[in-house]
Amino acid sequence: MTPVSSPSSHGQSPLRTVQVLGGGNAASSAHVRSLAAGLVARGVKVTVCAPFEADHAYDFTGVGAGHVHVPRSSDPVSVAALRAACANADLVHAHGLHASFRTVLALSGRRVRTPLVVTWHDRAHAEGARAQLLRLLERRVAKAATVVLGTTSALVDRARRTGARDARLAAVALPGPRRPVEPDDPDRQRPKARAELGAIGRPLLMAVGSLEPHRGYDVLLDATRAWRRLDPVPLVVIAGEGSLRAALQQRIEEEELPVRLIGRREDVPELLAAADLALLPSRWEARSVLAQEALLARVPLVATAVGGIPELVGDAAELVPYGDARALADAVVRLLGDPERRERMREKGVRQAATWPTEDETVAQVLSIYDELTQPQPLL
């Protein structure tokens, strides 16, 4: 990529932007790193406000951005640190609900209004009173933002319903290599990974995501009962950690289900490439990283038709209703018994992945929005 200067209203001075992350989940943190790298290459000055551990994990400074430590909490110290970091910014871009809310607090009361772009990468998940609080935060952020960017059409619609004056679709690229796995790749089945997981001589079904209620793993465990009659019995492997770990493990042991919980892993792409099928049983997903990685790895995907999933995968996955264990089980049984259909899905997946935006395209779209918001307004 050839560095180019961003057109701006600031003469020869580079556009000064601040990117704000909260704790930053893996997808949003990787996006901010990719965005920072692309903006810096185009002559934009970038400062990333995030906890120390986020910079350590994603190395924002390594791509040419500045880094300011801002803790996750919304206490006065964090807000004051963020306010100071944004003092000379031409534009501020916050990622995720909690980071966006802190940014709204930090920018409030300023004499000169700084454009605030907010990206909603996903919905915040909570139950009961906390869910009500999150809805109030969403409304406050949506109304205060100059522009809300949603990574899926469903999130754009949600932002508009919540009070955003300007909400737009801005699909986020999956950072990293975009080379699909070749059909004859000798590493495709990764025998070592399958042996480690205990899937020698049996189908391997892979799910990835936090062990939290919205992931739908209770439904997945229900579905595995139907697969026990298959010969050989498929093994379901779930990579992730969360509050439901103990409860899920107890069910697996008590019901003798063919499921393994392997915790948080750094080698998910390699494990996924070794799988026969990928499973995504969630109650809600935005622009699912697992779905994208599965299609790129030529792994047939069975997913719930929720949130941004249908828009993301098109006809390149088997989609089932959320909460329907029988539909999930039947879809898996059909695919395992139909090698030709699995191969068609692999080919469809590669074609679908080719329609997703690249990192360069994502950066270019965001930069065009920045330029729009920082150009001087004509006098009437």
Side-chain angles (χ1 to χ4, degrees), residues 36 41 43 48 60 88 98 121 142-143 154 166-167 185 289 294 323 333 353 373 378:
V48 178
F60 306 118
N88 297 314
H98 295 288
H121 295 265
K143 288 185 172 182
D166 187 346
D185 188 336
V289 172
V333 171
L373 298 181

Side-chain angles (χ1 to χ4, degrees), residues 22-342:
N25 63 31
S28 59
S29 297
H31 168 62
V32 169
R33 186 186 194 277
S34 171
L35 185 58
L39 291 172
V40 168
R42 288 165 167 81
V44 177
K45 184 179 167 98
V46 178
T47 299
V48 178
C49 293
F52 281 129
E53 55 268 28
D55 184 54
H56 178 73
Y58 292 92
D59 193 22
F60 306 118
T61 53
V63 297
H67 172 251
V68 174
H69 170 62
V70 176
R72 288 188 176 94
S73 65
S74 294
D75 63 32
V77 173
S78 296
V79 173
L82 186 53
R83 181 179 293 118
C86 296
N88 297 314
D90 299 310
L91 179 142
V92 179
H93 189 165
H95 300 262
L97 179 59
H98 295 288
S100 300
F101 179 66
R102 283 197 293 277
T103 306
V104 169
L105 296 179
L107 295 179
S108 63
R110 299 179 63 167
R111 288 183 297 173
V112 178
R113 182 177 176 83
T114 302
L116 172 60
V117 178
V118 167
T119 293
W120 284 3
H121 295 265
D122 202 347
R123 277 176 50 185
H125 300 279
E127 307 291 339
R130 181 167 170 75
Q132 176 65 20
L133 173 61
L134 291 179
R135 284 193 291 271
L136 292 174
L137 295 185
E138 279 186 337
R139 183 167 294 277
R140 174 77 183 272
V141 167
K143 288 185 172 182
T146 313
V147 175
V148 177
L149 304 179
T151 60
T152 69
S153 296
L155 288 171
V156 173
D157 291 342
R158 185 179 181 88
R160 289 173 178 155
R161 291 194 306 269
T162 307
R165 49 190 153 163
D166 187 346
R168 312 180 193 182
L169 180 65
V172 169
L174 181 67
R178 289 286 300 271
R179 181 183 70 84
V181 173
E182 297 299 327
D184 56 352
D185 188 336
D187 292 332
R188 167 81 176 84
Q189 293 300 321
R190 297 194 184 275
K192 182 178 178 181
R194 294 177 71 95
E196 178 204 339
L197 297 173
I200 296 296
R202 63 193 298 197
L204 173 60
L205 315 182
M206 191 82 196
V208 181
S210 58
L211 306 184
E212 301 296 341
H214 69 277
R215 295 295 184 185
Y217 291 136
D218 55 337
V219 180
L220 176 56
L221 294 192
D222 290 342
T224 64
R225 295 171 180 162
W227 305 332
R228 289 186 299 192
R229 59 181 167 81
L230 299 179
D231 185 17
V233 178
L235 174 66
V236 177
V237 172
I238 303 175
E241 285 292 353
S243 63
L244 296 182
R245 172 76 185 238
L248 292 173
Q249 187 63 50
Q250 182 175 358
R251 269 198 67 186
I252 292 167
E253 293 172 2
E254 289 180 351
E255 301 175 32
E256 298 183 341
L257 301 176
V259 180
R260 281 193 62 193
L261 305 181
I262 61 172
R264 189 176 290 108
R265 297 286 293 248
E266 300 297 326
D267 58 346
V268 164
E270 290 78 15
L271 298 180
L272 182 61
D276 297 287
L277 299 179
L279 306 178
L280 190 63
S282 305
R283 181 170 64 202
W284 167 269
E285 288 283 346
R287 200 169 177 85
S288 165
V289 172
L290 172 66
Q292 294 176 78
E293 290 183 337
L295 268 57
L296 284 167
R298 296 176 54 87
V299 178
L301 172 69
V302 180
T304 43
V306 298
I309 294 299
E311 178 180 44
L312 178 66
V313 303
D315 66 350
E318 287 276 352
L319 298 182
V320 299
Y322 167 72
D324 191 333
R326 178 179 291 276
L328 176 59
D330 289 347
V332 167
V333 171
R334 280 197 307 273
L335 277 173
L336 290 178
D338 192 343
E340 291 183 359
R341 180 166 179 77
R342 294 201 303 275

Side-chain angles (χ1 to χ4, degrees), residues 4-21:
V4 295
S5 296
S6 165
S8 110
S9 60
H10 310 287
Q12 297 302 310
S13 299
L15 182 69
R16 298 165 300 183
T17 70
V18 173
Q19 306 288 324
V20 185
L21 272 170

